[in-house]
Amino acid sequence: MKNMFLGLVLCFMTSRVFAADIEASLSRQTVPLGEVVMLNLSVEGGVNGQPDLSVLEPDFKVYSTSVSRKNFNINGQASTWTTWQVGLAPLKAGELQIPSIQIGTDKSEPLSLEVVAAGTPIEDEQTENVARYNLTAEITNMPQKYYVQQQLNYQVTLIDAGGLQGGEPVFENNGNEWLIINLGQPKISVVNEKGKSWREIKYNYALFAQKSGNLKIPAVNFEGYAFSEPSAASLNLNMNGFFGINMPSLFDIEQPVHLRAPEKEINVLSVPQTYQNKWWLPAKNVTLSATFTDTNLSFKQGEAINRKISIKAEGLSAAQLPDLETQSQPDLKQYKGEYQTQDMLKNGVVIGEKTLTITYVPEKSGKVFLPEIKLMWYNVGTEQIETAILPAEEINVAPNPLLEAAFNQPTTVEPTIETPQEQPKEQTAKPQDTDNVWLPYVAAFLAFLAGLFLSAFLFKKTEKPYCDTRRYPKFIIEKAYAADFRSLRDALISWATGHYPQKSITNLKDVATAAGDKAFEEQINIILNKLYNPQDDTDFNAKVFVDIFHKVNKKKQNKKQTDPLPPLYD
């Protein structure tokens, strides 16, 4: 009888050592949406396999998994525990079930977790005010009518009452439906209310819808971490497996924090039918201005004049501004340089600026007019169509004696008297003074030298930067497949400037004309429609475009003409 009792005791002890019963527990029973709860899975005895966490995917995001093993020797009885800690972020609010977790052939009991809305204060037996973090987003300047490409101010607020660490919030992929610009450093303030305090971190963004219709402002995510308070959980120290020592943890535990501000739906209006300009500019104000680069400039016939013309728009980024359309002027040659762009910020309003340097070369002396420039835009404040105007400017061009000698050298012709009765006879040239016979040739030679000198001077002042066309094809192909039409436009213009050095390339129409390929011109027209017609529904096939572009790019370039400027004097 005594031996039977001892056998039963030994069997019981052996089953405790080698059993694989899974014990599951949660660090918190109630958690706000966006915060992380720790799931602990412990197995006593031998372990065969890893936890199958795939069953958690429908309702939770798994952040981290750590495993630890501890040995105990109590009253001569040895035991081993293996524990997994799994960080879980709930994906929705409500009463969520944590299903049974399987390790090898064993399973844990299912658990339930209450998930409340972010920012909800929680009082329970385990913790007080555990809703320490929150992320919200709101439109701060919602107009009565919101048009495509109009600026919309969007503020994302992060609430931190627990030492939160991490980077800046990130917008989810918006499928090129929104242009998003960061409006500078976040504003941080400390709020004290009812004996509690927390940080409010406000991030401000400017959003520009790239299409009309019912759009969704993308959700915003924050990924960070926080350190939990030192816990009273025991650390079990084992020395050679003979005994265990329990002591409080002296180290904080880094816990991940995931916050999400949901997407917002908004109705975006299309371009008004009364607006007939090809380039849509919804802004608070648009101005045109011009300055000469040399403030002490004196204008002289045949000499270059550099002038900077700027478009400045309140409520638009520089990427949304058009290229300038300038008119040709008799006796005044024009050469366009490269555009310079910048974005500024004033009182939460994006101010885009686009500047073009134009080199003028007057071919005659006297009064010369620099042509007027107009730009239509839409005032979103008054809902009226307006026109920004840069008035024509009169300049007085002084004569250039060297050029006057070339252009105004008189030609002496002896009059011939004819009689109807006689046939014209060969005229014998009248002998001239041998001291003056070479003067016209000397003057012409001096004028020729002067022309060479002026051409060299103008070439130095107005030479276009050479475009290494080898850099652009790969970039053009990438932007075509990305359907980034603005970058595609700029890259095509830059490529064509180097590929066709004899041509004047300032816009996509010039690119199509220089290429002289009908299929390529059709692709250019599709790109123009995508850029300037928000209601256009024409399909852009990137592969078709790339195939045609390859064909055009392989055409032999004409490199005989390398002068960046056409002849000044024909």
Side-chain angles (χ1 to χ4, degrees):
M1 186 72 178
K2 181 177 180 180
N3 291 336
M4 184 179 296
F5 176 77
L6 290 174
L8 290 174
V9 171
L10 288 174
C11 289
F12 173 77
M13 293 177 62
T14 303
S15 65
R16 293 294 299 165
V17 172
F18 294 103
D21 298 331
I22 303 175
E23 295 183 4
S25 63
L26 292 169
S27 60
R28 303 154 71 180
Q29 300 302 316
T30 305
V31 63
L33 185 64
E35 296 191 26
V36 174
V37 63
M38 302 305 295
L39 170 64
N40 297 304
L41 301 171
S42 298
V43 178
E44 182 183 8
V47 177
N48 182 18
Q50 297 292 327
D52 180 10
L53 303 179
S54 61
V55 294
L56 300 170
E57 292 178 357
D59 296 326
F60 298 92
K61 180 177 181 179
V62 177
Y63 266 89
S64 61
T65 303
S66 62
V67 62
S68 62
R69 290 180 175 83
K70 300 174 184 178
N71 298 322
F72 298 91
N73 194 321
I74 302 175
N75 297 327
Q77 180 66 48
S79 64
T80 300
W81 282 84
T82 302
T83 302
W84 287 267
Q85 275 198 328
V86 184
L88 300 179
L91 298 179
K92 60 184 179 181
E95 190 76 20
L96 302 185
Q97 294 294 318
I98 297 177
S100 176
I101 307 295
Q102 184 170 347
I103 303 176
T105 58
D106 297 292
K107 293 184 178 181
S108 66
E109 292 293 328
L111 301 173
S112 62
L113 175 68
E114 182 182 2
V115 181
V116 298
T120 304
I122 301 172
E123 303 282 344
D124 61 20
E125 297 178 355
Q126 294 180 324
T127 182
E128 295 182 358
N129 193 29
V130 297
R132 295 174 293 174
Y133 317 114
N134 194 18
L135 189 70
T136 60
E138 61 177 342
I139 301 170
T140 58
N141 69 331
M142 186 63 200
Q144 291 184 349
K145 295 181 179 180
Y146 176 65
Y147 292 94
V148 60
Q149 296 186 9
Q150 182 180 346
Q151 179 179 344
L152 196 67
N153 287 353
Y154 204 60
Q155 188 175 83
V156 177
T157 303
L158 177 63
I159 302 295
D160 169 30
L164 191 61
Q165 305 291 325
E168 185 174 332
V170 177
F171 285 84
E172 292 181 357
N173 183 21
N174 63 78
N176 294 325
E177 292 184 345
W178 294 90
L179 171 65
I180 301 174
I181 297 177
N182 191 324
L183 297 182
Q185 295 295 322
K187 297 180 180 179
I188 304 175
S189 60
V190 178
V191 179
N192 294 285
E193 187 177 312
K194 297 180 180 180
K196 299 176 182 178
S197 63
W198 60 87
R199 288 192 308 164
E200 283 189 355
I201 308 173
K202 297 183 180 295
Y203 302 86
N204 291 286
Y205 304 88
L207 274 60
F208 301 87
Q210 299 300 293
K211 58 186 291 188
S212 58
N214 290 324
L215 298 187
K216 291 183 178 180
I217 299 176
V220 185
N221 291 309
F222 173 83
E223 303 284 349
Y225 63 91
F227 292 102
S228 63
E229 298 294 334
S231 67
S234 60
L235 281 179
N236 299 286
L237 304 182
N238 181 337
M239 298 183 64
N240 298 323
F242 290 108
F243 59 88
I245 300 176
N246 295 336
M247 61 180 294
S249 173
L250 301 179
F251 304 98
D252 292 349
I253 299 176
E254 182 181 304
Q255 294 188 353
V257 175
H258 169 73
L259 302 174
R260 185 176 187 269
E263 59 190 13
K264 295 182 183 297
E265 189 168 322
I266 183 173
N267 182 39
V268 182
L269 300 178
S270 59
V271 178
Q273 294 183 354
T274 54
Y275 189 87
Q276 298 300 319
N277 191 28
K278 67 179 182 180
W279 198 286
W280 169 240
L281 293 174
K284 291 187 174 183
N285 191 30
V286 175
T287 58
L288 291 171
S289 61
T291 57
F292 292 103
T293 56
D294 187 351
T295 56
N296 299 319
L297 182 65
S298 59
F299 307 107
K300 184 177 286 188
Q301 179 186 7
E303 293 188 358
I305 307 168
N306 290 325
R307 188 188 190 207
K308 288 187 176 181
I309 303 177
S310 296
I311 311 171
K312 187 177 289 186
E314 298 181 19
L316 292 172
S317 70
Q320 297 173 274
L321 301 180
D323 294 343
L324 286 168
E325 294 184 358
T326 58
Q327 299 177 356
S328 61
Q329 198 77 353
D331 302 319
L332 184 66
K333 292 192 175 182
Q334 303 180 28
Y335 307 102
K336 292 183 179 181
E338 297 294 326
Y339 282 98
Q340 303 294 325
T341 60
Q342 65 171 334
D343 286 327
M344 299 165 284
L345 182 64
K346 183 178 180 181
N347 298 327
V349 177
V350 174
I351 301 176
E353 185 175 25
K354 191 171 187 177
T355 302
L356 173 67
T357 299
I358 300 180
T359 298
Y360 298 100
V361 182
E363 295 185 308
K364 71 174 185 176
S365 59
K367 292 183 178 180
V368 177
F369 288 91
L370 301 180
E372 176 185 76
I373 299 177
K374 293 183 178 181
L375 181 63
M376 183 185 295
W377 62 284
Y378 187 81
N379 191 322
V380 295
T382 62
E383 298 186 14
Q384 298 294 322
I385 299 173
E386 300 189 19
T387 302
I389 300 176
L390 180 64
E393 187 169 351
E394 178 184 309
I395 60 175
N396 291 313
V397 181
N400 190 326
L402 294 176
L403 299 184
E404 290 291 336
F407 284 128
N408 302 325
Q409 177 66 37
T411 302
T412 303
V413 180
E414 292 293 333
T416 302
I417 300 176
E418 298 181 0
T419 60
Q421 292 83 8
E422 299 180 2
Q423 294 295 327
K425 296 182 178 180
E426 182 178 351
Q427 301 294 319
T428 303
K430 182 180 179 180
Q432 297 183 4
D433 188 346
T434 56
D435 293 335
N436 298 325
V437 69
W438 297 104
L439 285 179
Y441 299 101
V442 172
F445 179 70
L446 291 175
F448 175 73
L449 291 178
L452 289 178
F453 172 78
L454 288 173
S455 297
F457 173 79
L458 292 173
F459 178 81
K460 180 179 179 181
K461 293 293 184 181
T462 60
E463 182 180 3
K464 291 183 181 178
Y466 175 69
C467 293
D468 182 3
T469 57
R470 292 175 299 176
R471 297 182 303 166
Y472 288 102
K474 182 178 179 181
F475 182 79
I476 289 171
I477 293 169
E478 290 177 355
K479 295 306 175 183
Y481 279 107
D484 185 351
F485 297 109
R486 285 183 172 80
S487 297
L488 182 59
R489 172 199 62 194
D490 297 340
L492 282 169
I493 293 173
S494 298
W495 164 80
T497 301
H499 200 76
Y500 307 106
Q502 290 180 310
K503 304 293 184 179
S504 176
I505 307 293
T506 60
N507 53 51
L508 286 179
K509 287 292 186 181
D510 292 342
V511 176
T513 302
D517 186 281
K518 187 65 176 177
F520 188 62
E521 183 179 0
E522 292 176 356
Q523 294 299 312
I524 292 294
N525 289 333
I526 294 175
I527 295 171
L528 286 170
N529 286 333
K530 291 296 183 183
L531 281 168
Y532 308 131
N533 184 5
Q535 297 178 337
D536 177 70
D537 57 357
T538 306
D539 290 332
F540 174 76
N541 190 316
K543 186 179 184 307
V544 172
F545 169 83
V546 169
D547 291 343
I548 296 173
F549 173 73
H550 276 311
K551 174 185 173 183
V552 172
N553 188 46
K554 289 180 180 179
K555 288 185 179 180
K556 186 177 180 180
Q557 305 176 31
N558 184 358
K559 297 184 178 179
K560 293 182 180 179
Q561 176 70 28
T562 59
D563 293 334
L565 301 179
L568 289 175
Y569 317 111
D570 298 325

